[in-house]
């Protein structure tokens, strides 16, 4: 557990993190797709339906299941 990452946090900003994958700027991140979310990212430490979960890139914090960042990697 832990507090949710703030989009304005410097690490979040550098990764282009957003709480809602639908708010990501596709011009800035051409590989982004709205089907990509934290909940289906390899680095997400929560379950597929969890609203919040840990992320390997944000120690001690949680990201939104609906979120996204530029380090998104398809869960295998
Ligand atoms: Fe979400 Fe994955 Fe980025 Fe972590 S690495 S913030 S789980 S998209």
């Amino acid at each position: 557990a832990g507090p949710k990452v703030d989009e304005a946090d410097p690490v979040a900003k550098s990764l282009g993190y957003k709480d809602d994958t639908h708010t990501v700027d596709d011009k800035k991140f051409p590989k982004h797709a709205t089907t990509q979310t934290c909940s289906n990212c390899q680095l997400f430490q929560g379950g597929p339906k969890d609203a919040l979960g840990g992320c390997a890139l944000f120690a001690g914090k949680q990201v939104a299941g609906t979120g996204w960042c530029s380090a998104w990697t398809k869960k295998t």
Side-chain angles (χ1 to χ4, degrees), residues 22-67:
H22 293 93
T23 66
V24 174
D25 183 352
D26 286 346
K27 287 194 181 76
K28 209 167 158 190
F29 300 104
K31 290 180 187 159
H32 167 261
T34 53
T35 52
Q36 301 171 356
T37 58
C38 291
S39 61
N40 63 24
C41 171
Q42 187 68 38
L43 287 80
F44 189 61
Q45 295 160 347
K49 292 189 173 159
D50 287 351
L52 290 173
C55 167
L57 300 181
F58 294 97
K61 293 190 180 162
Q62 297 197 92
V63 295
T66 55

